[in-house]
């Protein structure tokens, strides 16, 4: 109505339409990518929780230490005995737990 009354020019109307379409397309991106944004946000939250748990488990780890850094008390030269003797194994089973051979088919 303002165009026909001569109070507004056609260029102003075209600019308004272009601005509206630009804002609409920007908002559409957010709406259409909402699931991916939510998934990303949840992943960041899980990583934050994991990092907090790592820091609580290793009190020597500072904020500047990355998660891939070895704990400061960890000594690579320490040996760990992980040998298993056949006498330590019970393959016969019991009433609560079946024998090893009974579970493999």
């Amino acid at each position: 109505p303002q165009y026909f009354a001569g109070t507004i020019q056609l260029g102003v109307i075209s600019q308004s339409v272009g601005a509206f379409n630009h804002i609409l397309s920007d908002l559409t991106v957010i709406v259409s990518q909402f699931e991916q944004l939510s998934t990303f946000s949840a992943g960041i939250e899980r990583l934050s929780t994991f990092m907090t748990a790592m820091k609580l488990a290793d009190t020597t780890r500072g904020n500047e230490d990355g998660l891939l850094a070895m704990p400061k008390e960890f000594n690579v030269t320490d040996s760990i005995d992980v040998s298993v003797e056949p006498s330590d194994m019970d393959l016969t089973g019991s009433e609560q737990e079946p024998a090893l051979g009974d579970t493999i088919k």
Side-chain angles (χ1 to χ4, degrees):
Q2 290 181 347
Y3 173 74
F4 295 115
T7 59
I8 195 170
Q9 297 178 354
L10 182 60
V12 173
I13 294 173
S14 297
Q15 287 178 345
S16 299
V17 169
F20 176 78
N21 285 332
H22 188 69
I23 291 171
L24 180 63
S25 69
D26 290 345
L27 293 175
T28 302
V29 167
I30 294 171
V31 171
S32 66
Q33 299 298 323
F34 186 77
E35 183 178 353
Q36 287 82 4
L37 290 170
S38 297
T39 303
F40 179 74
S41 175
I44 295 297
E45 181 64 30
R46 284 191 298 274
L47 287 173
S48 174
T49 302
F50 177 70
M51 188 158 192
T52 300
M54 290 291 292
K55 286 180 181 178
L56 290 173
D58 181 11
T59 56
T60 62
R61 186 181 302 269
N63 286 334
E64 65 282 347
D65 296 330
L67 289 179
L68 297 178
M70 297 299 283
K72 290 186 173 67
E73 302 91 38
F74 187 79
N75 189 352
V76 179
T77 60
D78 291 344
S79 63
I80 300 172
D81 183 18
V82 293
S83 61
V84 177
E85 298 295 326
S87 61
D88 295 338
M89 295 186 279
D90 179 17
L91 302 178
T92 60
S94 65
E95 289 182 20
Q96 290 81 21
E97 296 181 20
L100 181 62
D102 295 341
T103 59
I104 301 173
K105 298 195 185 214

